[in-house]
Amino acid sequence: MNATGPAVVAEGLTKRFRSFTAVDHLDLRIEKGEIAGFIGPNGAGKSTTIRMLCGLLRPSEGRALVAGFDVGQQPEAVREHIGYMSQKFSLYGDLTVRENLRFFGGIYRVARGEMGERTRFAITMAGLQEREDALVRTLAGGWKQRLALGCAILHRPPILFLDEPTSGVEPEARRRFWDLIHELAAGGVTILVSTHYMDEAEYCNRIALIDRGRLVALGTPGQLRSRHLGGELFEIRCTPLGAALHVLQGAAGVIDAAIFGDRLHVVLGPGGLDQAGLPGFLQEHGVSVQAVRTVTPSLEDVFVRLVSTHHGGQDSS
Amino acid sequence: MFERLSVMLMKEFLELKRDRWAMFRLVVPLLVQMLVFGYAATFTVHHVTTAVLDLDQSQASRSLISHIVATSRFTVVDVAKTQRQITHDINDGSATIAIVIHAGFARELANGQGAPLQVIIDGTNSNTALIALGYLEQIVAQYSAQLPGTVTLVPGFAATPPRGIDLRTQPWFNAGLNDRWFFIPGVIGTLTLMQVVSLTAFAIVREREIGTLEQIMVSPIRPVEFILGKTLPFFLIGLGDISLISVLGILWFHIPFLGSPLIMLLGASLFLLASLGMGLLLSAFSRTQQQAFALNFFFVNPFFILSGFAFPIAAMPKALRWFTLINPLRYFLVVIRAIFLKGVGLSALWPDLLAMALLAFVMLTISVRRFHKSLD
Ligand SMILES: Nc1ncnc2c1ncn2[C@@H]1O[C@H](COP(=O)(O)OP(=O)(O)OP(=O)(O)O)[C@@H](O)[C@H]1O
Ligand SMILES: [Mg+2]
């Protein structure tokens, strides 16, 4: 791998399945040692992108360099430098923990002298010390998932692709898994991880929001929060919610309004309504207001907003 | 190369070992089908209607006829005087089997040459005729065993075709009529083909379905390593299958094994390679096990029907005859029957062996090429 360049670069990366475009001219740059999150709804094209970056799917257009190698031209060179955990992270259920590790170690040709140490490392990392000889199919989801991660990094890949590694795993195990990801990144591994859990986005250094095959936003969680909301976020407790939403959506200065549980979230831009004017405006329209306060937007707020404007744009075009 | 191959093999055999039903699935269906096929062809028949035409009128010919009539298996319904009469008996169904002893029969026997005995069979009643033919072979074998000096029997098998008398069957109507011995070697080839093709196809499609295939594809493994690791176990299982049912055929059904075990091993290996290639190709075109199942059904059945196992290739329409040329079973049936029943060697079998080698080479090459470690 070249010593200085970015770990992953994609330029106009596109994948079409017949006439359907699953990934649409994606530009991306991931630096070494970063944890990059791919966030997006189901069918957004996360897995397709990751598969192209792993050399499993040929790009229909554009190109991507992983560890400095072109994924379309030199997929074998790419494979030498990556670890991959597919969305269905799969191990052999009829083999024991140790046998699975030995299999993947052999497939990746981990040196014989190193195998013992790597196996121990993976077993400790997965917390499977007592269960090395248990059949994998008898393990619970969190263990399987950590073991799959262990199998994917036996050969010390500098770049790791994890496709929805935490799906279907209970919250405690998810947290442990993210601790592992951070440890790996601290050791210099570049990690590209996809998820559709919005809360996990906060754990990433940088986030790529993908929707319908397009890159909708890219940046650190902080950047996304401040840049993409287009204004300040307020939480309003009022009744009735429906009527309030209705009047706010048409009002000047309101960028976005949405029901959020038993409250309203409203984004106010410059000009038009401001925080001070909100209660009066609503009461004029027959809505009784209990409280208005500023909130720090969660990434979920950002995504909901970005995805909805994105769809709106597509529908009108 | 060996490192990756050896972990592939280790994994395959561990999975097989852990699968409690694997042995059952691999062995029991074969044994059951073998027994069913074997017995379906061998139930006993009495009083087969027989027409006799003795053109030799010698002591030897009369003695042979009395040997045949002495058993309750055959009932002579007509002692014919001309070939036309025989034809008539068979055509109108009054005789199921006709025996023709040519002039010069006794002289040829006495000279120590093989003397031909012509047997005409009503092929439309093939099961009875087939069994009757088996009896006739035994009777003729016993008869020629008594002839002083001229007959040598292959030891160990009471029912081996005699060298002294050349039993010339001339089946009418159903030109490809098989005798019982002809049948069981065919079963061995057919069952092996079905098992090996489906095992191979399913093994790969299963890994595709559970997702481990994607995990393997993303590793730097070479296609050859993967394919070898995936097929070598089934090659060995296939050899085991062929040995098992061959031994069963020999010990249980008393099928003679006259040829060389080494040529048999060669033929079986080439046949298995071609079958593995077919299985790999099927797997390349199936995303799910259901698809593999459908394709398997769709392809293996025609291969079976168009192999010459039950229906003679010569009687097929031209297009189908062409198709049989790419059917490994067609060649293996020739080889296995010839090795079991005739004991012929490489000089006679090389064209069939070569054809299987070519098919194996082509199919395996295509499968390695098609497995280019990509999902599209
Ligand atoms: N091999 C394929 N052939 C045709 N269409 C495909 C193929 N693979 C994916 N797609 C389609 O491409 C789109 C993107 O799929 P992809 O799996 O990349 O989404 P994703 O973001 O990973 O979604 P999820 O969260 O459900 O995993 C989907 O609409 C999917 O149906
Ligand atoms: Mg996906």
Side-chain angles (χ1 to χ4, degrees):
Chain A
M1 180 156 66
N2 53 343
T4 51
V8 177
V9 187
E11 288 162 2
L13 194 64
T14 301
K15 182 69 192 179
R16 278 184 282 271
F17 297 110
R18 295 173 207 279
S19 62
F20 174 73
T21 307
V23 176
D24 195 359
H25 293 90
L26 202 80
D27 295 312
L28 196 67
R29 189 184 161 96
I30 301 171
E31 302 300 333
K32 292 210 177 75
E34 251 189 325
I35 301 177
F38 263 32
I39 320 276
N42 285 2
K46 304 182 293 293
S47 299
T48 307
T49 306
I50 291 180
R51 283 172 168 161
M52 280 193 283
L53 294 177
C54 291
L56 285 171
L57 287 175
R58 271 186 159 277
S60 316
E61 214 182 287
R63 62 177 207 140
L65 300 181
V66 170
F69 299 102
D70 189 304
V71 296
Q73 312 295 321
Q74 306 156 279
E76 287 304 319
V78 169
R79 288 188 179 111
E80 302 276 351
H81 293 89
I82 61 168
Y84 170 58
M85 205 172 135
S86 71
Q87 186 162 359
K88 288 202 265 181
F89 57 91
S90 13
L91 301 162
Y92 293 97
D94 278 342
L95 265 54
T96 66
V97 169
R98 195 178 276 287
E99 286 161 353
N100 267 286
L101 286 165
R102 202 168 128 215
F103 175 74
F104 285 104
I107 291 291
Y108 279 100
R109 268 203 273 200
V110 174
R112 206 167 284 267
E114 226 192 337
M115 196 55 207
E117 188 244 308
R118 295 304 289 162
T119 307
R120 246 172 293 128
F121 168 77
I123 287 174
T124 316
M125 187 188 83
L128 284 165
Q129 288 92 333
E130 304 291 301
R131 324 188 56 164
E132 295 158 28
D133 295 313
L135 292 185
V136 161
R137 70 174 134 81
T138 65
L139 300 178
W143 269 308
K144 263 191 214 164
Q145 167 214 41
R146 289 193 295 272
L147 178 61
L149 178 65
C151 288
I153 59 169
L154 279 174
H155 58 298
R156 300 182 192 275
I159 303 175
L160 191 54
F161 294 94
L162 307 174
D163 194 0
E164 296 203 21
T166 52
S167 66
V169 178
E170 72 276 21
E172 172 55 30
R174 272 171 58 193
R175 246 192 322 277
R176 271 192 74 179
F177 194 82
W178 274 98
D179 289 342
L180 293 176
I181 292 179
H182 281 115
E183 278 168 35
L184 286 169
V189 179
T190 309
I191 297 162
L192 197 159
V193 53
S194 79
T195 179
H196 61 246
Y197 293 115
M198 298 297 182
D199 58 322
E200 291 187 343
E202 308 274 359
Y203 302 141
C204 301
N205 303 135
R206 236 151 39 101
I207 299 165
L209 177 64
I210 298 179
D211 185 41
R212 300 191 178 183
R214 300 241 187 113
L215 186 67
V216 179
L218 178 69
T220 64
Q223 286 170 337
L224 290 188
R225 262 195 284 266
S226 57
R227 201 193 305 151
H228 288 282
L229 221 45
E232 237 184 320
L233 179 67
F234 297 95
E235 183 187 271
I236 308 170
R237 286 202 292 148
C238 59
T239 44
L241 280 179
L245 182 67
H246 187 72
V247 293
L248 281 172
Q249 271 172 343
V254 174
I255 292 175
D256 196 24
I259 295 182
F260 211 81
D262 61 348
R263 290 130 212 241
L264 274 183
H265 274 192
V266 181
V267 180
L268 296 184
L273 272 179
D274 57 11
Q275 183 177 10
L278 260 179
F281 174 76
L282 284 171
Q283 259 138 14
E284 263 169 47
H285 289 83
V287 176
S288 73
V289 178
Q290 284 96 50
V292 176
R293 64 183 186 99
T294 10
V295 287
T296 322
S298 70
L299 281 172
E300 190 158 0
D301 290 306
V302 179
F303 296 148
V304 167
R305 174 156 160 70
L306 282 173
V307 169
S308 62
T309 48
H310 183 52
H311 285 190
Q314 284 213 334
D315 292 343
S316 62
S317 65
Chain B
M1 170 92 186
F2 284 110
E3 167 121 31
R4 293 212 186 103
L5 186 56
S6 74
V7 293
M8 282 287 302
L9 292 177
M10 171 205 82
K11 182 212 78 177
E12 294 294 328
F13 281 111
L14 280 174
E15 282 194 302
L16 211 58
K17 196 182 94 186
R18 302 271 156 77
D19 181 355
R20 258 185 298 159
W21 291 98
M23 267 305 143
F24 182 85
R25 280 202 321 265
L26 290 180
V27 174
V28 171
L30 278 182
L31 292 184
V32 168
Q33 291 184 68
M34 179 75 178
L35 290 173
V36 167
F37 273 116
Y39 277 114
T42 54
F43 50 77
T44 52
V45 170
H46 293 277
H47 305 297
V48 178
T49 50
T50 310
V52 177
L53 173 59
D54 182 357
L55 297 172
D56 196 41
Q57 293 293 345
S58 60
Q59 212 224 310
S61 67
R62 277 192 295 273
S63 161
L64 176 60
I65 291 169
S66 66
H67 260 87
I68 294 167
V69 179
T71 68
S72 62
R73 307 292 192 200
F74 298 93
T75 302
V76 175
V77 291
D78 187 21
V79 179
K81 294 281 180 293
T82 62
Q83 193 84 37
R84 274 191 57 187
Q85 226 174 313
I86 290 281
T87 311
H88 188 256
D89 288 340
I90 293 279
N91 277 347
D92 71 6
S94 58
T96 306
I97 192 167
I99 299 163
V100 180
I101 303 174
H102 289 283
F105 178 77
R107 195 183 58 240
E108 284 165 13
L109 262 190
N111 288 349
Q113 298 166 265
L117 176 70
Q118 191 188 7
V119 180
I120 299 161
I121 277 169
D122 177 0
T124 55
N125 191 0
S126 60
N127 206 29
T128 308
L130 207 135
I131 294 158
L133 189 63
Y135 295 143
L136 198 58
E137 280 167 350
Q138 289 178 26
I139 294 166
V140 169
Q142 281 162 13
Y143 167 77
S144 47
Q146 299 165 355
L147 298 176
T150 52
V151 183
T152 39
L153 278 181
V154 176
F157 303 104
T160 303
R163 299 255 168 87
I165 294 176
D166 172 11
L167 195 64
R168 283 214 184 137
T169 55
Q170 188 177 21
W172 290 4
F173 307 125
N174 175 0
L177 181 69
N178 311 316
D179 71 41
R180 181 178 42 179
W181 295 346
F182 202 53
F183 201 61
I184 285 181
V187 173
I188 297 173
T190 307
L191 294 183
T192 310
L193 176 78
M194 292 191 185
Q195 178 148 73
V196 168
V197 171
S198 63
L199 278 177
T200 315
F202 277 93
I204 293 181
V205 174
R206 215 190 92 230
E207 288 218 33
R208 180 171 285 144
E209 264 190 357
I210 59 176
T212 43
L213 188 64
E214 189 169 334
Q215 213 66 59
I216 290 177
M217 277 186 182
V218 86
S219 80
I221 195 171
R222 291 209 301 261
V224 183
E225 293 166 331
F226 176 79
I227 288 193
L228 268 182
K230 222 48 211 172
T231 51
L232 212 54
F234 298 120
F235 181 78
L236 297 178
I237 288 171
L239 279 186
D241 281 351
I242 292 181
S243 314
L244 179 77
I245 39 190
S246 297
V247 167
L248 184 73
I250 293 166
L251 296 184
W252 191 264
F253 290 112
H254 304 291
I255 311 296
F257 188 90
L258 303 177
S260 142
L262 274 180
I263 301 178
M264 175 77 175
L265 183 67
L266 175 67
S269 302
L270 293 174
F271 174 63
L272 284 171
L273 288 177
S275 309
L276 290 169
M278 263 177 72
L280 287 171
L281 280 185
L282 288 194
S283 76
F285 290 100
S286 328
R287 298 289 120 179
T288 63
Q289 297 196 50
Q290 271 105 320
Q291 286 174 6
F293 182 80
L295 275 180
N296 190 33
F297 187 78
F298 199 78
F299 280 101
V300 175
N301 277 349
F303 272 91
F304 164 60
I305 290 165
L306 301 177
S307 65
F309 175 80
F311 312 107
I313 291 170
M316 290 172 191
K318 207 169 199 163
L320 290 183
R321 271 208 310 265
W322 278 104
F323 178 77
T324 66
L325 292 178
I326 59 154
N327 184 355
L329 187 56
R330 168 208 164 129
Y331 303 106
F332 188 53
L333 289 187
V334 172
V335 170
I336 194 170
R337 282 169 174 161
I339 290 175
F340 263 89
L341 304 176
K342 295 191 204 146
V344 299
L346 282 180
S347 55
L349 293 177
W350 70 265
D352 297 283
L353 293 170
L354 185 67
M356 283 196 288
L358 274 175
L359 280 176
F361 179 77
V362 169
M363 292 206 235
L364 288 172
T365 309
I366 297 176
S367 350
V368 174
R369 284 273 165 83
R370 261 201 70 97
F371 184 82
H372 36 39
K373 297 185 39 178
S374 129
L375 297 170
D376 28 14

